């Protein structure tokens, strides 16, 4: 009898309908974030965003209703994207040296980037995607998705100071990237 | 949050069929199975442990019951002193009856094997304890009585298989032994009979003796 009660608790397992109703509205956002995190690779972003939801479905019983499912999905996404990048970097002949530059003091955090109006949305997304990870990760999660430093630290497993440092570096690199795009178009120097 | 960056990302087109493909994969995927999975595994292990525990308990109870069949005769006939004290070999063979009379000398010989002082034979007879008939040979080693007992077994009397039992390699006899009420009781199956060696000897010594005698008993108790 104890065994039956043990097997039955919690009262009822979550249904797929419940999961789809709760989680699927976030699919477009997860996909778009994945595009950014994967450096603009849309094909991989499709697979990755689906994998995020499959993993979320498998562990949906651990999700507490009423808590922030958006942050939870992003956490899964960040972890999976990081693993994907690690796999990819092993295939590349040379690593990106920018990835190691986590050395900016928090107090020097760069102000948000002003994006020129004449750049198309796709150019902006690509400029963000061109920022090297993990600065790109901090940039997207903070400046595009609006997560707090604390939330980002929780998602990435990095200390808050490192998150702030990465964000600062990310903003500087994005500014340089946008200036380069504008320069290519002959529309002025970088800001 | 940077409104312009956010706007750019919100305008990133999402593949039209992405949601449909995801829904299809979700439909094929097993539901959130983490907790149910480990719960089921844990419950399965618990059930297995309970079943194994019950089996062990039942098997030991059964073994205990069967060994007490031999102990009962040793205590009520041998220790209580109710057995017929005999001096003459003829008397003993007559007491065993024609079926088991030829077993007496081999039992004496095997019990004495390797010993400087052979065991003395106190009695060899047939007796009935609690309505059960026994063939009973009583040896004496120093001050210690040793009973070699044979009793016909019923259809449901069988030593539990799988419980740790010492297999006598030469003869293939499975020997079970436990200490019950201060006595070492070794039992084995022998055709339609149950055989026992019961004594107040140390457990290892009783077991060694039973291992020597069981093959002999098996030759006569078919």
């Amino acid at each position: 009898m104890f065994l039956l009660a043990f097997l039955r608790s919690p009262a009822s397992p979550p249904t797929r309908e419940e999961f789809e109703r709760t989680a699927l509205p976030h699919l477009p956002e997860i996909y778009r974030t994945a595009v950014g995190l994967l450096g603009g690779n849309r094909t991989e972003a499709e697979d990755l965003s689906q994998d995020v939801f499959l993993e979320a479905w498998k562990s949906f019983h651990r999700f507490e209703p009423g808590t922030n499912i958006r942050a939870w999905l992003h956490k899964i996404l960040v972890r999976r994207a990081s693993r994907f990048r690690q796999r990819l970097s092993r295939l590349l002949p040379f690593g990106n040296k920018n990835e190691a530059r986590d050395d900016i003091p928090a107090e020097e955090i760069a102000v948000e980037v002003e994006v020129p109006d004449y750049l198309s949305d796709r150019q902006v997304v690509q400029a963000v995607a061109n920022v090297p990870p993990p600065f790109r990760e901090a940039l997207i999660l903070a400046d595009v998705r609006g997560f707090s430093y604390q939330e980002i630290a929780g998602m990435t497993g990095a200390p808050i100071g490192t998150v702030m440092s990465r964000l600062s570096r990310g903003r500087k690199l994005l500014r340089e990237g946008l200036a380069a795009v504008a320069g290519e178009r002959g529309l002025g120097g970088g800001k | 949050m940077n409104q312009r960056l956010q706007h750019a990302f919100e305008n990133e087109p999402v593949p039209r069929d992405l949601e449909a493909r995801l829904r299809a994969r979700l439909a094929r995927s097993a539901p959130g199975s983490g907790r149910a999975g480990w719960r089921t595994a844990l419950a399965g292990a618990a059930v297995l442990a309970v079943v194994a525990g019950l089996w062990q308990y039942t098997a030991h109870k059964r073994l205990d019951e069967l060994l007490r069949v031999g102990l009962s005769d040793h205590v009520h006939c041998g220790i209580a002193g109710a057995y017929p004290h005999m001096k003459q070999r003829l008397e003993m063979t007559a007491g065993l009856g024609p079926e088991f009379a030829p077993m007496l000398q081999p039992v004496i010989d095997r019990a004495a094997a390797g010993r400087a002082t052979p065991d003395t034979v106190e009695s060899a007879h047939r007796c009935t304890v609690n309505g059960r008939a026994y063939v009973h040979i009583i040896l004496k080693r120093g001050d210690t009585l040793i009973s070699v007992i044979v009793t016909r077994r019923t259809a449901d009397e069988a030593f539990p298989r799988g419980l740790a039992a010492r297999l006598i390699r030469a003869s293939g006899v499975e020997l079970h032994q436990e200490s019950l009420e201060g006595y070492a009781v070794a039992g084995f199956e022998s055709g339609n009979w149950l055989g026992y060696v019961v004594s107040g000897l140390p457990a290892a010594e009783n077991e060694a003796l039973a291992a020597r005698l069981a093959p002999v008993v098996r030759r006569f108790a078919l």
Side-chain angles (χ1 to χ4, degrees), chain A residues 6 20 42 46 119 121, chain B residues 4 11-12 21 23 39:
Chain A
F6 177 75
E20 290 180 356
R42 288 164 178 81
E46 282 184 40
L119 292 182
D121 290 333
Chain B
R4 179 68 179 93
N11 284 336
E12 171 69 30
R21 277 187 282 141
R23 281 182 189 275
R39 274 176 187 278

Side-chain angles (χ1 to χ4, degrees), chain B residues 16-222:
Chain B
R16 226 177 284 165
D17 62 342
L18 182 61
E19 185 173 327
R21 277 187 282 141
L22 174 57
R23 281 182 189 275
R25 286 182 71 183
L26 284 171
R28 287 197 303 271
S29 170
S33 55
R35 190 179 301 180
W38 73 257
R39 274 176 187 278
T40 307
L42 208 61
V47 167
L48 274 179
V50 167
V51 168
L54 275 175
W55 182 86
Q56 283 277 329
Y57 172 78
T58 311
H60 271 109
K61 195 162 173 279
R62 184 88 189 117
L63 175 63
D64 190 85
E65 282 170 5
L66 278 179
L67 290 177
R68 280 181 189 279
V69 169
L71 176 67
S72 176
D73 188 38
H74 177 71
V75 170
H76 289 100
C77 182
I79 300 299
Y83 63 90
H85 297 259
M86 299 171 172
K87 298 284 182 197
Q88 302 299 319
R89 186 59 58 88
L90 204 63
E91 209 180 357
M92 294 174 188
T93 51
L96 289 175
E99 196 180 0
F100 285 99
M103 186 174 79
L104 180 59
Q105 192 57 49
V107 165
I108 295 167
D109 293 343
R110 289 298 292 161
R115 292 188 58 77
T117 313
D119 302 326
T120 58
V121 187
E122 289 288 304
S123 182
H125 63 274
R126 285 177 182 254
C127 53
T128 301
V129 173
N130 297 330
R132 184 164 194 139
Y134 294 91
V135 176
H136 195 175
I137 299 172
I138 301 175
L139 308 173
K140 201 168 187 182
R141 183 173 292 181
D143 292 332
T144 307
L145 285 182
I146 301 165
S147 284
V148 180
I149 298 165
V150 176
T151 184
R152 193 171 281 281
R153 75 176 171 128
T154 60
D156 63 333
E157 285 180 330
F159 283 104
R161 303 278 173 253
L163 265 193
R166 183 168 178 266
L167 186 70
I168 303 166
R169 291 185 187 281
S171 56
V173 181
E174 253 191 34
L175 196 66
H176 298 264
Q177 173 165 298
E178 279 192 358
S179 287
L180 298 173
E181 298 177 16
Y183 296 98
V185 186
F188 52 92
E189 289 174 25
S190 177
N192 293 319
W193 303 79
L194 295 171
Y196 297 93
V197 175
V198 188
S199 74
L201 295 170
E205 191 176 344
N206 188 75
E207 188 183 289
L209 179 61
R212 287 203 300 277
L213 295 180
V216 174
V217 172
R218 271 201 152 184
R219 293 212 315 262
F220 299 93
L222 305 170

